[in-house]
Amino acid sequence: MNEAYCRRCTREGAGSSRRPFALPGTSARYAPDRPASIEHIALTLSFDFEKHVLFGVCRTTFSAVGKALDSLEMDADHLHIKNVRNAAGKKLPFDLAGGKLTIELDRGLAAGKSSTVVIDYEARQPTQGIYFISPDKGYPRKPVQVWTQGQDQDAHYWFPCIDYPNAKATTEIKATVPAKFFVLSNGVLVSTTHDRTAKTKTYHWKMDTPHVTYLVSCVAGEFSEHTDMLGKLPVAYYVVPGREADGERSFGKTPKMVKFFGDRIGVPYPYARYAQIAVTDFIFGGMENTSATTQTDTTLHDARAHLDFSSDGLVAHELAHQWFGDLLTCKDWSHAWLNEGFATYFEAMFREFDQGADEFAYYRFLLAQRYFDEDRKEYRRPIVTNVYTEPIDLFDRHLYEKGASVLHLIRRQLGDELWWKAIHHYVAEHQLQNVETIDFIRAIETVTGRNMLPFFDQWVFKPGHPNFRVLYRWDEKKKAAQVRVEQTQDTKDGTPVFTLPVTVAFVNGRSEQRFVMELEQREQSFTFALAKRPEMFSFDPDGDVLKTVELRVPEEMLIRQSLAEMNLSARIDAIRELSKDPNLEVVEALARVLSGRSFWGAKAQAAAALGTIRTERAFTALVTARSVDNPKARRAVAAALGEFRGEEACAALAPMLARDGSYFVEAEAAFSIGKTKSKKAYALLMKALSKESFHDVIRAGAMRGLAELGDDRAIPVLLGWTVYGKPTFAREAAIPALGKLGQGNRKVRARLIELLDDCNFWARLAAIDALEELHDQTAIPALERLASQDIEGRLKGAAANAVRAIAEYQEKPAELRQLRGEIEKLKESNKSLLDRLDRLETRAKVKR
């Protein structure tokens, strides 16, 4: 599942203080016992697409484990159970209560023996597990589709099952649909039969490789098929008719990915075929159903969007899951990083293979920044923890981004040869099994002979990451570089003082010397004898360690490092450090990065640094860079110009909004125009609301800009964009904008509360976060109702956290809230000055 791709609502105004990860009173959770082992699940399905009803027959073959069974307990929720029979057709007594279906067997089943139950059931107007998509008055052009979504524990909302990932079974599905429809499910298509009288087709799919319940899938609708052959392996994708070119643009690299993963892992793609199908209104980015990934159709994009938007990450992520998540599946949700961390890192490794080292390094940098953002603004937790409210709560930046970053560090510590041997052993040894983190640890130890427990104890089973302060000085008499490393992270929450090797590099011209420092204490000093004073010094030059770092290094060395066409991660560290020292030499160096032939990520970071510096010369450098070639770099320039206020900044951004080759540059310019607080901003943004674009990104950027502008005239306009029937991405952008702009406005609060019951999942999620942003305690009852009554884990969790945040906010005296707000504004406006003062004081101490 690609949660990172999802349109998650982020609260830009969120505070910097962490809250506990789990809600108060949350207890540890463990995998359930397995008194019965499910061997095979056969589903016979038909649908009423107008009334949104699933008609199902579930034939489940199972065996008793450990001791004899008199009854079978299955998960089944929001299902109408019509009758239950044994294999011979004899009716069996059953009881359905509390989401559990208990079936009394006609005779005791001895341990190790098998039996079969057949359940006739219906799912009527389901809201979970299976989703009916159809046109309505608001969206008359929607296609008619049905699709399922089982992760994390939603399979039992569309068929009775034991809905937990600690066991696997073979499956098959027979689905009858209108003759013009296609059905995709797991495994291979055994047969297609026609009923010309009823004008229906029945598709029979069979999966002979055992897989967990949440990966069982069924998708039906009108689709256009494209199939490539990778040797004897069919690699197919399905899109709605008319979007074939977008499908090729989005999914065309899939065969290349299949070959790359199979070759590197050393275990070929493990199923008879691979398919992807793009569906409407999908509630995640993608879902790795075994051999049949469901993708959101929002990943399909036109040629203009393709300038700086790609589906490759999403496609690679879900494909990697076919090994990590499907062939090997976490036994317990607390170990879900074995699914998601691996898929995220393998997605990154395909980027390295396909696009090169700089793209790989910069992508890893972005992964780290997303994790740091969650760690700083939301909460800190171990990657592996069994204390959570809902399983979906675990699917966060710690699981995906931090998990991937930790895997990269393992790879670098082992070296590529041992890394790939360990991965091969892990997959080959545990294929078709359920795994825990200890299985991966032992796989590495088997191949390398290294005791990996200390590493995993720090990085996986404990929270946090190292925060380094690195002080460098040159001793001319001794011809030696002196490096002092301090770990400044707070350890009160269980974050350790890390023990790990870190590389340092000293550069003169094209000559580079590297050394490895073994860090194990709060503060350590190292001395390196060198032939001459180095021109550059870098700490962890390849960015292999998940960390934050302050570099106390002479400015001239940082400037050289920022301009050097080598070690992108070291350049970024230098650029970010230089942003704290807004003198003319620094600004000129950053301007040179922007105007040179640097990789676009370096230019993007230089632009961000100039936006932080906010001097007149920095502004001039950004204005000059508005025509930089790469659209991602131009987007960064537009964002940086938004750090300036007034008419001149707005005038500089207006041409970027008026016309750019990239949708996303125009969108960023719109957002930044709002931040300038210009008198002309409102008119420019209102005009931008009429622009059509991919995912409505320009319109969304204008809405974000209106929220930043703080002009109340925008409130009725934004309210109008929340109406059901407006373009979905525009609706989803208007809602958080109202949360930022509408404090104290009763109409805004009332509309946001209405949206908690909207038909669109993303609108509901946005409304929750917008109400939290309003800090209005009168919204608490509606949020509490959603948190206690809804069945969607993400909505429940978001609502509960919103209630907590609003209550905490209201507990603060009004005068204190206002004072703290003013302090934060002062800190922000004087951040660069305070950073410079801190650096000067530190340098003075070093010289003494």
Side-chain angles (χ1 to χ4, degrees):
M1 180 168 63
N2 194 311
E3 179 72 12
Y5 178 84
C6 292
R7 292 170 277 172
R8 298 177 83 182
C9 303
T10 56
R11 297 177 296 279
E12 293 181 25
S16 58
S17 58
R18 295 189 189 98
R19 56 176 173 80
F21 167 64
L23 292 170
T26 303
S27 56
R29 300 181 65 167
Y30 301 90
D33 296 336
R34 289 198 304 118
S37 174
I38 304 300
E39 297 171 355
H40 185 70
I41 301 168
L43 300 174
T44 302
L45 310 174
S46 59
F47 312 90
D48 185 329
F49 287 96
E50 290 186 3
K51 296 181 179 179
H52 294 188
V53 180
L54 164 68
F55 305 97
V57 178
C58 177
R59 185 182 182 94
T60 302
T61 301
F62 63 99
S63 60
V65 177
K67 62 179 182 179
L69 287 178
D70 294 319
S71 63
L72 175 67
E73 184 180 84
M74 306 174 76
D75 299 300
D77 215 339
H78 291 63
L79 296 178
H80 173 61
I81 307 298
K82 297 162 70 175
N83 65 73
V84 180
R85 298 165 281 139
N86 65 13
K90 178 183 178 181
K91 287 192 175 183
L92 301 177
F94 68 90
D95 179 65
L96 181 63
K100 297 292 183 180
L101 173 64
T102 304
I103 302 168
E104 299 298 326
L105 304 180
D106 56 333
R107 63 174 60 91
L109 185 64
K113 297 297 183 179
S114 296
S115 186
T116 298
V117 293
V118 182
I119 306 165
D120 291 290
Y121 69 98
E122 294 177 6
R124 302 168 179 171
Q125 293 81 48
T127 60
Q128 202 81 348
I130 187 166
Y131 298 79
F132 285 87
I133 309 300
S134 57
D136 57 22
K137 290 183 179 180
Y139 301 95
R141 298 179 64 182
K142 268 190 184 180
V144 176
Q145 295 176 354
V146 65
W147 46 263
T148 62
Q149 169 57 31
Q151 196 175 39
D152 45 61
Q153 290 172 207
D154 288 353
H156 69 284
Y157 290 100
W158 73 279
F159 68 95
C161 57
I162 296 180
D163 201 359
Y164 202 83
N166 62 344
K168 300 190 175 192
T170 55
T171 62
E172 61 183 304
I173 285 181
K174 293 179 182 178
T176 300
V177 294
K180 63 182 179 179
F181 278 19
F182 167 75
V183 175
L184 178 68
S185 187
N186 314 93
V188 296
L189 183 59
V190 176
S191 65
T192 305
T193 56
H194 299 255
D195 185 332
R196 301 193 186 281
T197 302
K199 297 180 181 180
T200 62
K201 278 185 183 178
T202 298
Y203 290 81
H204 181 190
W205 290 88
K206 194 169 185 179
M207 169 55 79
D208 288 330
T209 305
H211 59 151
V212 295
T213 308
Y214 73 77
L215 295 170
V216 180
S217 174
C218 183
V219 178
E222 291 187 71
F223 293 96
S224 176
E225 177 185 359
H226 175 92
T227 300
D228 294 308
M229 296 301 296
L230 183 62
K232 296 182 179 181
L233 176 72
V235 180
Y237 62 79
Y238 302 84
V239 298
V240 293
R243 302 209 66 180
E244 290 83 0
D246 295 341
E248 171 62 25
R249 200 175 286 116
S250 297
F251 304 132
K253 285 186 180 179
T254 307
K256 184 178 181 180
M257 296 175 187
V258 174
K259 186 177 188 308
F260 170 73
F261 289 146
D263 288 348
R264 293 296 173 89
I265 295 169
V267 174
Y269 176 78
Y271 309 109
R273 72 193 302 268
Y274 184 59
Q276 299 172 89
I277 191 163
V279 303
T280 299
D281 288 349
F282 196 53
I283 59 172
F284 289 101
M287 183 60 217
E288 65 275 12
N289 305 309
T290 317
S291 79
T293 288
T294 305
Q295 304 281 28
T296 172
D297 65 358
T298 62
T299 198
L300 302 175
H301 56 281
D302 60 27
R304 184 181 174 193
H306 198 61
L307 290 172
D308 47 352
F309 178 91
S310 173
S311 299
D312 290 352
L314 172 65
V315 173
H317 184 102
E318 305 307 334
L319 175 61
H321 272 311
Q322 299 299 313
W323 288 267
F324 305 101
D326 294 9
L327 190 63
L328 287 72
T329 312
C330 64
K331 185 178 180 180
D332 183 275
W333 291 120
S334 62
H335 297 275
W337 83 289
L338 298 173
N339 296 12
E340 300 301 345
F342 273 73
T344 304
Y345 187 53
F346 273 71
E347 167 195 340
M349 285 192 291
F350 177 76
R351 187 182 296 257
E352 177 185 28
F353 169 74
D354 188 50
Q355 298 183 43
D358 281 347
E359 285 284 356
F360 177 58
Y362 196 66
Y363 188 63
R364 289 190 294 102
F365 166 77
L366 294 177
L367 291 178
Q369 299 313 305
R370 292 173 198 152
Y371 155 68
F372 291 146
D373 192 56
E374 180 174 85
D375 174 82
R376 182 178 67 256
K377 294 181 180 179
E378 301 289 342
Y379 51 77
R380 171 173 288 185
R381 71 170 182 89
I383 291 177
V384 173
T385 177
N386 65 350
V387 181
Y388 57 87
T389 306
E390 298 281 345
I392 197 66
D393 297 343
L394 295 167
F395 288 73
D396 60 6
R397 304 302 188 189
H398 287 67
L399 200 73
Y400 289 74
E401 283 85 350
K402 184 181 180 183
S405 299
V406 169
L407 287 172
H408 178 73
L409 184 53
I410 295 171
R411 177 186 170 193
R412 285 294 185 251
Q413 289 196 7
L414 297 182
D416 266 19
E417 182 179 358
L418 290 177
W419 159 261
W420 287 115
K421 284 184 178 180
I423 291 296
H424 170 74
H425 181 77
Y426 172 59
V427 175
E429 184 74 14
H430 296 288
Q431 57 186 317
L432 304 181
Q433 297 178 12
N434 296 94
V435 289
E436 297 176 300
T437 302
I438 190 63
D439 297 308
F440 182 47
I441 295 172
R442 287 171 177 160
I444 300 173
E445 291 178 346
T446 298
V447 168
T448 67
R450 292 183 54 169
N451 178 9
M452 295 299 295
L453 284 174
F455 178 95
F456 278 79
D457 187 51
Q458 293 181 111
W459 291 99
V460 177
F461 298 117
K462 290 182 180 178
H465 55 270
N467 299 332
F468 291 117
R469 180 182 293 123
V470 181
L471 297 90
Y472 163 92
R473 67 183 296 271
W474 174 253
D475 189 325
E476 182 64 32
K477 290 183 179 180
K478 295 181 179 179
K479 296 292 183 183
Q482 297 180 346
V483 179
R484 182 173 181 80
V485 182
E486 302 170 1
Q487 294 192 44
T488 63
Q489 65 270 18
D490 189 349
T491 57
K492 293 177 183 177
D493 59 1
T495 300
V497 173
F498 285 80
T499 299
L500 76 159
V502 177
T503 299
V504 291
F506 302 94
V507 179
N508 278 297
R510 293 186 174 275
S511 174
E512 181 184 76
Q513 286 183 271
R514 292 193 172 199
F515 303 88
V516 176
M517 303 183 300
E518 296 291 340
L519 302 181
E520 56 187 9
Q521 299 173 17
R522 271 283 191 190
E523 299 181 7
Q524 289 175 262
S525 295
F526 302 85
T527 300
F528 303 95
L530 303 171
K532 61 178 180 179
R533 180 196 296 264
E535 296 171 354
M536 289 179 281
F537 159 74
S538 56
F539 178 83
D540 185 29
D542 298 320
D544 293 329
V545 180
L546 180 67
K547 66 187 185 304
T548 65
V549 60
E550 297 177 57
L551 295 173
R552 305 305 192 185
V553 178
E555 186 177 276
E556 62 272 15
M557 296 182 76
L558 290 172
I559 287 175
R560 290 192 203 104
Q561 188 168 314
S562 71
L563 295 167
E565 292 293 336
M566 55 190 299
N567 297 339
L568 177 64
S569 296
R571 293 188 71 188
I572 291 173
D573 284 344
I575 289 168
R576 289 163 66 86
E577 196 65 42
L578 287 170
S579 69
K580 303 172 185 176
D581 205 354
N583 62 51
L584 185 59
E585 290 79 9
V586 166
V587 172
E588 293 295 338
L590 296 173
R592 285 174 61 191
V593 175
L594 267 178
S595 62
R597 300 177 63 183
S598 299
F599 173 70
W600 73 266
K603 292 187 177 187
Q605 290 302 307
L610 289 167
T612 299
I613 289 172
R614 291 201 294 261
T615 63
E616 184 176 345
R617 178 66 187 96
F619 178 74
T620 301
L622 288 166
V623 171
T624 303
R626 288 177 299 176
S627 59
V628 62
D629 287 343
N630 191 289
K632 294 178 183 178
R634 288 201 305 280
R635 197 192 313 178
V637 170
L641 284 168
E643 298 302 313
F644 295 84
R645 303 291 175 263
E647 304 308 314
E648 193 176 0
C650 182
L653 284 160
M656 302 183 81
L657 172 59
R659 185 171 181 80
D660 191 276
S662 164
Y663 296 121
F664 298 91
V665 172
E666 292 188 23
E668 199 65 50
F671 177 44
S672 288
I673 282 173
K675 294 172 71 176
T676 68
K677 308 293 185 181
S678 163
K679 295 178 181 178
K680 298 179 180 179
Y682 185 79
L684 287 169
L685 295 177
M686 292 302 294
K687 184 178 179 181
L689 288 177
S690 65
K691 284 196 169 191
E692 302 294 334
S693 60
F694 168 69
H695 284 185
D696 260 330
V697 292
I698 298 174
R699 193 170 281 141
M703 292 177 181
R704 294 172 65 214
L706 288 167
E708 290 290 334
L709 185 62
D711 192 324
D712 287 349
R713 288 179 295 171
I715 289 178
V717 176
L718 292 170
L719 284 170
W721 279 101
T722 69
V723 173
Y724 188 77
K726 290 289 187 180
T728 54
F729 279 95
R731 291 186 79 214
E732 294 158 23
I735 294 167
L738 284 168
K740 193 172 183 67
L741 189 59
Q743 291 193 10
N745 187 300
R746 292 183 179 180
K747 288 184 179 180
V748 169
R749 181 191 66 215
R751 179 59 181 146
L752 293 177
I753 291 175
E754 285 178 2
L755 286 166
L756 294 178
D757 296 315
D758 196 81
C759 296
N760 183 281
F761 169 82
W762 301 106
R764 299 179 72 195
L765 195 58
I768 293 169
D769 283 350
L771 286 168
E772 179 178 338
E773 184 75 25
L774 286 182
H775 306 303
D776 191 330
Q777 60 186 345
T778 60
I780 287 179
L783 289 166
E784 287 179 331
R785 173 183 56 80
L786 192 155
S788 62
Q789 297 179 9
D790 208 274
I791 58 176
E792 214 292 334
R794 284 174 292 175
L795 293 173
K796 291 172 64 177
N801 283 320
V803 168
R804 177 169 58 175
I806 293 170
E808 289 174 352
Y809 181 86
Q810 293 298 329
E811 287 174 1
K812 300 174 185 177
E815 185 178 352
L816 179 59
R817 294 200 300 267
Q818 181 179 354
L819 180 61
R820 287 182 175 175
E822 292 175 0
I823 290 172
E824 290 302 317
K825 288 180 181 178
L826 284 170
K827 283 183 178 179
E828 177 63 24
S829 61
N830 293 285
K831 184 176 185 297
S832 60
L833 182 61
L834 293 169
D835 286 341
R836 180 168 169 77
L837 179 61
D838 182 45
R839 286 166 59 85
L840 290 173
E841 288 177 346
T842 302
R843 288 180 183 176
K845 291 177 183 177
V846 171
K847 287 180 180 179
R848 287 200 297 270

